[in-house]
């Protein structure tokens, strides 16, 4: 029988530093020289242009370091980006290499946004005052009547002197449409409410009526004459410059509202106006979102003025 071939004995590997044994049997490993780091020296990406963002890997202590180029965290919000290029030799033939960091741009200003006006809740919806906060030495009445001097009866009597908004709300009536609307105008009307109706107390004290009128957005109060009365208006609420009052241009003694010749005015909250006796007026709310609220007072003519006017008309008829 043939014996299997004997495998040759493997020679032991030489231990590193075996030939460079120092006296005493201690081995010394020589450190390799620190490799040079390839830092791109392109004029486009000088240290001044990249703001010192390129860092080399050299170390004066001689410690072993990675061959990578290291960069601080990029400030992306300032438009800092890596710039790559392919060198003609080395790893650049296979993969793009980092050449530097783009120049930082100025931080763009925040876009201006239109702020919506916010209503002041504390002013639009004020909290009712507590009775405990009022002076204790006074009594405050809840009724609408009070004892006052009545000139007509020449004595003191109870009379309605307070008209609260809740009571006026119950008297609201929709205004009628009495004229054709122009193209582009809507068939919207307002509501009117009455607060007081006072008859003349004597030949020297005229009677008067008061109340309010509310015009929704785009609503119109058609032209109306005041006769021998004088009518005063107070603009309480509206979009500034959106409320229009138009006064007819008088033509001799016959006054007719003509849209082409009417005198038109734009008013704002806090303004007031009056319509003299014998004139015609028209109201319109041009706002598309805000209601317009007016408070008005009608002053009736005196009886003496009516009589003198009637006497004057009779004399004119007799002369004719």
């Amino acid at each position: 029988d043939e014996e299997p071939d004997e495998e040759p004995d493997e020679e032991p590997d030489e231990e590193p530093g075996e030939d460079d044994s120092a006296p005493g049997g201690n081995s010394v490993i020589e450190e390799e020289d620190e490799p040079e780091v390839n830092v791109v020296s392109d004029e486009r990406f000088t240290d001044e242009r990249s703001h010192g963002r390129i860092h080399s890997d050299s170390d004066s202590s001689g410690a072993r370091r990675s061959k990578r180029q290291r960069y601080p965290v990029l400030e992306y919000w300032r438009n800092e980006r890596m710039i790559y290029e392919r060198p003609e030799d080395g790893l650049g033939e296979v993969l793009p290499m980092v050449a530097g960091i783009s120049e930082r741009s100025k931080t763009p200003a925040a876009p201006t946004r239109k702020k919506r006006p916010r209503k002041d809740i504390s002013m639009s919806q004020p909290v009712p005052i507590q009775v405990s906060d009022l002076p204790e030495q006074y009594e405050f009445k809840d009724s609408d009547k009070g004892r006052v001097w009545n000139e007509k009866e020449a004595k003191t009597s109870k009379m309605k002197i307070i008209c609260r908004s809740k009571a006026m709300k119950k008297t609201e009536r929709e205004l009628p449409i009495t004229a054709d609307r122009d193209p582009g105008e809507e068939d919207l009307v307002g509501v009117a409410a009455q607060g007081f109706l006072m008859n003349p107390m004597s030949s020297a004290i005229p009677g008067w009526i008061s109340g309010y009128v509310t015009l929704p957005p785009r609503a119109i109060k058609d032209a109306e004459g005041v006769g021998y009365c004088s009518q005063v208006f107070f603009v309480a609420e509206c979009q500034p410059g959106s409320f229009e009052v138009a006064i007819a241009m008088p033509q001799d003694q016959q006054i007719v509202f003509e849209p082409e010749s009417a005198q038109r005015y734009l008013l704002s909250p806090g303004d007031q106006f009056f319509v003299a006796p014998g004139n015609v007026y028209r109201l319109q709310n041009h706002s598309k979102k805000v209601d317009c609220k007016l408070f008005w007072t009608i002053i009736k003519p005196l009886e003496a003025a009516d009589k003198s006017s009637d006497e004057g008309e009779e004399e004119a008829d007799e002369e004719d």
Side-chain angles (χ1 to χ4, degrees):
D1 296 332
E2 294 182 358
E3 296 181 359
D5 296 337
E6 296 181 359
E7 295 180 359
D9 297 336
E10 295 181 358
E11 295 182 0
D13 295 336
E14 295 183 0
E15 297 181 0
E18 184 177 351
D19 297 337
D20 300 326
S21 299
N26 296 328
S27 299
V28 177
I29 300 176
E30 293 184 357
E31 295 184 356
E32 298 180 359
D33 295 336
E34 181 71 18
E36 296 182 358
V37 179
N38 294 327
V39 180
V40 177
S41 58
D42 196 314
E43 293 182 357
R44 296 173 300 166
F45 312 113
T46 61
D47 188 65
E48 181 181 357
R49 184 176 180 83
S50 62
H51 300 274
R53 307 288 286 188
I54 299 180
H55 299 268
S56 64
D57 296 327
S58 61
D59 195 337
S60 58
S61 63
R64 186 181 299 275
R65 301 294 181 188
S66 172
K67 296 181 180 180
R68 297 178 302 169
Q69 290 183 346
R70 292 171 293 173
Y71 300 87
V73 178
L74 297 182
E75 296 179 359
Y76 64 88
W77 60 91
R78 302 184 67 179
N79 203 30
E80 286 191 346
R81 298 290 185 272
M82 291 286 189
I83 296 179
Y84 297 89
E85 67 176 15
R86 288 181 177 272
E88 297 179 356
D89 56 350
L91 188 59
E93 298 179 355
V94 182
L95 296 174
M97 305 292 293
V98 177
I101 297 175
S102 62
E103 185 178 6
R104 292 181 294 183
S105 61
K106 295 182 179 180
T107 303
T112 56
R113 297 179 180 178
K114 294 182 179 179
K115 295 183 178 180
R116 294 182 178 179
R118 296 183 178 181
K119 293 184 178 180
D120 189 354
I121 299 178
S122 61
M123 296 298 294
S124 59
Q125 299 178 357
V127 179
I129 192 171
Q130 299 296 325
V131 179
S132 58
D133 297 336
L134 301 175
E136 298 179 357
Q137 65 271 26
Y138 302 122
E139 178 185 359
F140 298 93
K141 298 180 178 294
D142 295 330
S143 63
D144 296 337
K145 293 184 178 181
R147 186 168 293 276
V148 296
W149 176 259
N150 191 329
E151 182 66 25
K152 185 176 183 179
E153 299 178 1
K155 65 177 183 179
T156 60
S157 62
K158 274 194 172 183
M159 186 183 300
K160 181 181 177 181
I161 58 176
I162 303 296
C163 188
R164 305 185 189 276
S165 60
K166 292 182 179 180
M168 297 176 66
K169 189 77 174 178
K170 298 177 181 179
T171 66
E172 284 187 352
R173 298 292 183 271
E174 189 176 87
L175 298 173
I177 297 179
T178 59
D180 296 333
R181 301 294 170 87
D182 294 335
E185 296 180 343
E186 301 181 14
D187 293 335
L188 298 175
V189 296
V191 295
Q194 180 177 293
F196 288 100
L197 173 57
M198 303 298 295
N199 294 319
M201 291 188 175
S202 67
S203 59
I205 302 177
W208 54 276
I209 310 172
S210 69
Y212 67 81
V213 59
T214 301
L215 296 177
R218 309 288 293 175
I220 297 173
K221 182 183 184 301
D222 291 320
E224 180 183 8
V226 298
Y228 291 109
C229 299
S230 297
Q231 193 158 353
V232 184
F233 289 86
F234 303 86
V235 183
E237 302 173 5
C238 74
Q239 183 177 351
S242 66
F243 170 66
E244 175 193 325
V245 54
I247 307 296
M249 180 66 71
Q251 299 176 1
D252 298 331
Q253 293 183 353
Q254 184 179 4
I255 301 178
V256 180
F257 187 86
E258 297 290 346
E260 294 78 10
S261 61
Q263 306 166 84
R264 302 176 185 270
Y265 307 88
L266 294 176
L267 305 182
S268 300
D271 296 339
Q272 50 186 289
F273 65 96
F274 97 102
V275 183
N279 286 273
V280 180
Y281 72 98
R282 178 180 182 272
L283 308 179
Q284 182 172 357
N285 182 11
H286 289 283
S287 177
K288 297 180 180 180
K289 297 181 179 180
V290 183
D291 292 349
C292 179
K293 189 171 186 178
L294 312 170
F295 288 91
W296 51 264
T297 300
I298 299 176
I299 304 173
K300 296 181 178 181
L302 296 172
E303 294 180 0
D306 291 341
K307 291 181 179 180
S308 62
S309 176
D310 294 338
E311 292 175 357
E313 291 179 359
E314 292 176 0
E315 293 177 359
D317 293 338
E318 291 177 0
E319 292 176 0
D320 294 341

